[in-house]
Amino acid sequence: MKIINLGSCNIDYVYSLDHIVKVGETEATDRLEIFPGGKGLNQSIAIARAGSSVFHAGCVGRDGGLLVDLLSESGADVSLLQTVEGQNGHAIIQVDTKGNNAIFLFAGSNAMVSKDYIEAVLSHFSEGDLLVLQNEISNVDYAIRRAHKRGLRIVFNPSPFRDAIKEIDFGMLSYLILNEVEAAAISGCESPEEAVHFFREHYPTLGVMLTLGEDGCVLIENGRELWQSAFCVDAVDTTAAGDTFTGYFVSELAKGSDPKTRLKIACAASALAVSRKGAAPSIPTRGEVLSVLSRLTPRDSHQKDTLLKRKIDEYLDGSLASATLSGLAKKLGYSSAYTGSLVKRLVGDSFSKYLQAKRLQLAANLLLNTDLSVEDVIRQVGYENQSFFRKRFQEKYGKSPLQFRNREVCQNEQ
Ligand code: ADP
């Protein structure tokens, strides 16, 4: 099984200035730094440093020699890379003394990836091989269609997001690897939990790898969700965090690692990347990742869940008699369907069963601690159907409400 990454190669020209140039102004600087970049290049470097063989394909300009050198020094195979006439894709970046920046991008060679070239590249690969793609080159949709026809497994990182991505048939993909911003743009959902629900519902067979920055990531695969916390590091530069993650995820996928291992290694590798400055230079090798893995501690991903669980309980305890799933959904700001699945995940029971358990518990407290009649207790905890309540109460406590009150009171008095 071979890995082919058809992606961008960029050059970042970073000019340091006292202030960012305004309309009509001319400013001089002698401070220029040149960095290799592009999501394609970063991801190929990450795949190679993660210990897998990768062909990097795409187009570079005559000025792109430093990119080709870096790719091959990092272990990527550049034999399919094409050098085209014209300028390499590049970014002109102005940075002022406060660290603010202004950037413009010139697609250059990255926009010269033609259909004929894609055909020529894909002819070297066959069924079961892995194609990795991002959204920084021309004809991405064509590459997906042709690769799918050849039986390649396709991993697509829809970054940077553009509306045209919505036209792509995700049914042709094996995996979508995306961050929160891209997930929100595709699903229209603001929270990651809702986005997960969206992808599970709309693309049940698609593998979805959603990265959540310092909150870690969640993988949806074969109908199951797997959440992984990010690791604690002193973050100094998050550039290439996502590219490092993608490269390691792809490499582990190709090695046949189980989902848990894939996520753990990809999170550890990207944690190391954010703890260092720069893009390509910050991508660690597999050896570095393995040597720190046992020392890394996960950030508390349960914090969010704990907070949500507390909100669910607050709502139910505050309005037990009138609580509804749609009322809770409104309070949390989610859809009812998603809230239902959230309750199930966090409390291990359906909304109605959890609500019922809470109502029965409150009824038991009222029976023991107040003089309210059984009928009033039943009304107070929100049951209109008295016999239904009595049946549920009997099931839970093995006694009728009245027997419960009398026995417990007698026992306490003895
Ligand atoms: P992108 O760079 O594409 O926006 P994310 O910001 O989601 O991607 O980051 C990708 C991965 O990098 C996360 O899933 C996480 O594992 C890791 N990561 C990002 N930021 C941090 C951080 N501050 N601390 C530790 N790990 C991080």
Side-chain angles (χ1 to χ4, degrees):
M1 200 252 342
K2 293 190 274 193
I3 305 175
I4 160 78
N5 180 14
L6 177 58
S8 57
C9 288
N10 242 41
I11 307 174
D12 292 346
Y13 296 99
V14 182
Y15 298 89
S16 298
L17 295 151
D18 291 338
H19 65 268
I20 287 166
V21 178
K22 297 189 194 74
V23 177
E25 205 179 22
T26 305
E27 226 5 77
T29 181
D30 55 4
R31 284 166 292 163
L32 166 64
E33 288 178 286
I34 300 174
F35 298 105
K39 288 175 185 298
L41 173 133
N42 289 340
Q43 292 181 15
S44 281
I45 291 175
I47 295 169
R49 292 196 184 151
S52 289
S53 301
V54 57
F55 288 86
H56 182 89
C59 296
V60 288
R62 292 264 167 233
D63 51 343
L66 77 155
L67 308 174
V68 184
D69 291 347
L70 176 65
L71 280 164
S72 37
E73 279 159 21
S74 304
D77 186 317
V78 292
S79 56
L80 298 173
L81 198 60
Q82 191 179 43
T83 302
V84 291
E85 289 307 324
Q87 293 284 307
N88 202 95
H90 60 262
I92 302 288
I93 305 169
Q94 300 178 47
V95 184
D96 71 12
T97 46
K98 291 184 193 127
N100 299 312
N101 61 33
I103 303 174
F104 74 81
L105 277 170
F106 178 70
S109 52
N110 293 316
M112 295 184 200
V113 177
S114 67
K115 291 180 179 173
D116 285 346
Y117 170 70
I118 290 171
E119 289 295 346
V121 167
L122 291 180
S123 70
H124 296 273
F125 301 90
S126 54
E127 200 170 338
D129 287 341
L130 262 180
L131 170 68
V132 183
L133 287 162
Q134 314 77 28
N135 195 34
E136 285 185 335
I137 54 163
S138 43
N139 289 312
V140 167
D141 51 343
Y142 182 81
I144 289 176
R145 275 184 276 122
R146 299 303 294 166
H148 179 255
K149 195 140 197 246
R150 291 186 78 84
L152 273 71
R153 291 188 291 157
I154 305 167
V155 177
F156 180 43
N157 173 214
S159 180
F161 179 82
R162 292 193 220 300
D163 275 335
I165 283 175
K166 289 187 177 166
E167 308 302 315
I168 288 173
D169 179 1
F170 289 168
M172 293 184 180
L173 308 176
S174 294
Y175 287 92
L176 198 58
I177 303 188
L178 69 183
N179 67 13
E180 280 177 277
V181 177
E182 291 133 16
I186 291 171
S187 67
C189 303
E190 282 187 15
S191 75
E193 288 84 0
E194 283 215 277
V196 166
H197 186 72
F198 170 90
F199 284 113
R200 289 191 70 151
E201 207 169 69
H202 290 82
Y203 305 102
T205 57
L206 174 67
V208 178
M209 183 66 257
L210 173 57
T211 62
L212 306 169
E214 60 181 20
D215 288 329
C217 61
V218 52
L219 171 68
I220 311 167
E221 189 175 282
N222 298 326
R224 295 174 62 195
E225 265 168 54
L226 185 62
W227 295 74
Q228 163 75 47
S229 303
F231 289 107
C232 293
V233 283
D234 287 330
V236 297
D237 182 357
T238 57
T239 319
D243 293 335
T244 305
F245 188 101
T246 298
Y248 269 80
F249 181 87
V250 166
S251 170
E252 290 302 314
L253 184 69
K255 287 178 200 234
S257 302
D258 60 81
K260 240 181 174 164
T261 310
R262 262 182 269 154
L263 299 199
K264 207 169 164 192
I265 294 206
C267 276
S270 46
L272 279 185
V274 305
S275 70
R276 304 162 171 181
K277 271 188 89 68
S282 76
I283 302 171
T285 61
R286 188 179 163 82
E288 287 175 302
V289 175
L290 294 181
S291 71
V292 296
L293 198 55
S294 60
R295 279 182 277 130
L296 288 172
T297 49
R299 295 173 66 93
D300 190 7
S301 71
H302 299 299
Q303 256 170 12
K304 236 177 176 173
D305 281 357
T306 311
L307 203 71
L308 277 170
K309 166 91 165 51
R310 197 179 308 144
K311 279 192 183 169
I312 293 170
D313 285 331
E314 269 168 18
Y315 168 76
L316 291 179
D317 295 339
S319 52
L320 256 192
S322 58
T324 57
L325 181 61
S326 57
L328 175 62
K330 206 164 162 200
K331 182 175 161 84
L332 298 179
Y334 300 144
S335 66
S336 294
Y338 174 68
T339 305
S341 65
L342 187 70
V343 171
K344 185 113 205 203
R345 179 166 73 80
L346 295 179
V347 308
D349 232 335
S350 67
F351 174 82
S352 58
K353 284 209 171 129
Y354 191 56
L355 175 63
Q356 181 170 288
K358 276 192 170 280
R359 283 177 169 169
L360 292 173
Q361 201 176 25
L362 177 64
N365 280 341
L366 292 173
L367 286 167
L368 292 182
N369 301 315
T370 69
D371 294 327
L372 288 171
S373 68
V374 172
E375 287 71 22
D376 282 344
V377 166
I378 297 175
R379 263 190 296 277
Q380 193 148 333
V381 298
Y383 280 92
E384 280 171 16
N385 185 335
Q386 298 246 343
S387 56
F388 179 80
F389 169 84
R390 287 172 194 278
K391 209 167 157 201
R392 297 286 91 85
F393 194 91
Q394 180 83 33
E395 275 167 15
K396 181 165 167 82
Y397 293 102
K399 302 169 192 148
S400 73
L402 205 56
Q403 284 169 334
F404 178 85
R405 168 178 269 168
N406 293 337
R407 283 214 199 142
E408 297 290 328
V409 171
C410 288
Q411 272 170 12
N412 288 345
E413 280 171 357
Q414 275 167 11

